[in-house]
Amino acid sequence: MNTRRLRAFVAVAEELHFTRAAARLYLAQQSLSKQIAELEADVGTPLLTRTSRRVELTPAGAVFLDAARDVLARLDQGVTQARSVGRGEHAVLRVGFIVGAALELTPLILGDFAERYPDARLELREFGLTDPTAGLGTAETDVAFLRLPCATDGLDVYPLFTEPSVVGVRSTHRLAARESLTPADLADEPIAVGRTSDAVWRDFWTLARADGPLVETSSHSEEMEVVAAGLACCITPAAAARFTPRPAVRFVPLTGYPGSTVAVAHRAGADGTLVRGFVETATATVARERETVAVIGNVAGTQTQSR
């Protein structure tokens, strides 16, 4: 079995016509028919049925077509990358993220990926709250750490872990001394939210508030300053207490409300070697680091007041 026969089969399977497929490959029709026959002998079963009027894939041929396309796509991509490295270039993977990325797991994932792909160069790009897709929606990044829920149309998404939600309030706020809060406790409170058109994102971080006071921000640090000033409270991941503490801000567990999920994602269909490798690395790292994931998912101890 060789790639010439695979390409011949893919061409016939896509055209369902030997004459058109032969013209597409710049081959004589007799030579194309011979290559298909040789491939079927290699595989050990008929891949096509052909009459004087039409050509069709057999059930085995339909299965083999997917495999053939995958093999050829990987081979072509490998050739492109090898030539690039041969010219002294390095394959670049643009990794997008919003604040926090994958939390304590971020350096572990990036380190594991670097070991697995030593010739690849990572470019990390941080995005504000205006773009919950971290550059995937605008094709500025190849793969990204997302904070779900957000709009994921056109994306392939792979959840990694979920952490609890908390409420950030000014330390002198009337709710700051509470051991926990519920969504009902925030009914009359202004809520800070990212300045984005992503309705899924906005609904989650504002308790799906149809009306009522909202304060729009462009970044998490801006959001924290708004809360510290007492202009609004915010719904935020529990990790904010560890990663972005602010003077005069307290984080109180939010009960009766779902947590948010960190995921790795890429544009649908854009699953080249490095993108696929990054997803596989991220999921494998998370599966290995169970203790760290358990700590992230534990709401206990999230209450804190910066000193």
Side-chain angles (χ1 to χ4, degrees), residues 221-261:
S221 59
E222 184 179 316
E223 183 175 85
M224 287 296 97
E225 295 304 332
V226 165
V227 174
L231 303 178
C233 62
C234 71
I235 315 300
T236 192
R242 305 191 304 278
F243 282 79
T244 56
R246 285 291 192 279
V249 174
R250 195 176 191 212
F251 299 94
V252 184
L254 180 62
T255 60
Y257 199 70
S260 62
T261 298

Side-chain angles (χ1 to χ4, degrees), residues 110-246:
L110 298 181
D112 288 349
F113 180 82
E115 288 184 7
R116 185 174 178 182
Y117 297 92
D119 294 326
R121 179 164 60 87
L122 290 175
E123 287 187 359
L124 303 181
R125 304 186 183 185
E126 183 176 8
F127 290 78
L129 302 182
T130 57
D131 182 8
T133 70
L136 292 178
T138 55
E140 296 176 70
T141 55
D142 304 308
V143 66
F145 291 111
L146 304 187
R147 174 70 64 171
L148 305 177
C150 67
T152 57
D153 295 343
L155 303 180
D156 289 339
V157 180
Y158 308 85
L160 298 178
F161 59 85
T162 300
E163 66 169 323
S165 298
V166 298
V167 181
V169 295
R170 181 178 170 85
S171 59
T172 56
H173 193 281
R174 64 181 181 83
L175 299 175
R178 297 277 293 274
E179 292 298 318
S180 65
L181 296 170
T182 67
D185 294 324
L186 306 175
D188 299 323
E189 296 296 326
I191 296 180
V193 64
R195 187 178 288 109
T196 176
S197 60
D198 187 332
V200 177
W201 174 279
R202 288 176 66 91
D203 281 351
F204 184 81
W205 298 112
T206 62
L207 309 175
R209 179 175 288 181
D211 51 19
L214 297 176
V215 178
E216 293 191 331
T217 62
S218 298
S219 68
H220 181 69
S221 59
E222 184 179 316
E223 183 175 85
M224 287 296 97
E225 295 304 332
V226 165
V227 174
L231 303 178
C233 62
C234 71
I235 315 300
T236 192
R242 305 191 304 278
F243 282 79
T244 56
R246 285 291 192 279

Side-chain angles (χ1 to χ4, degrees), residues 245-303:
R246 285 291 192 279
V249 174
R250 195 176 191 212
F251 299 94
V252 184
L254 180 62
T255 60
Y257 199 70
S260 62
T261 298
V262 171
V264 64
H266 59 79
R267 293 185 302 282
D271 57 347
T273 300
L274 292 184
V275 170
R276 186 167 54 250
F278 192 88
V279 171
E280 292 171 354
T281 300
T283 54
T285 302
V286 171
R288 184 189 70 221
E289 300 294 330
R290 294 181 180 177
E291 291 186 5
T292 301
V293 173
V295 171
I296 291 172
N298 183 10
V299 74
T302 57
Q303 271 194 333

Side-chain angles (χ1 to χ4, degrees), residues 34-63:
K34 180 181 178 182
Q35 290 189 29
I36 296 298
E38 291 171 342
L39 178 64
E40 290 179 320
D42 289 337
V43 176
T45 188
L47 302 175
L48 298 163
T49 57
R50 39 206 181 273
T51 66
S52 58
R53 293 188 175 183
R54 63 181 183 178
V55 177
E56 292 182 337
L57 286 167
T58 65
V63 171

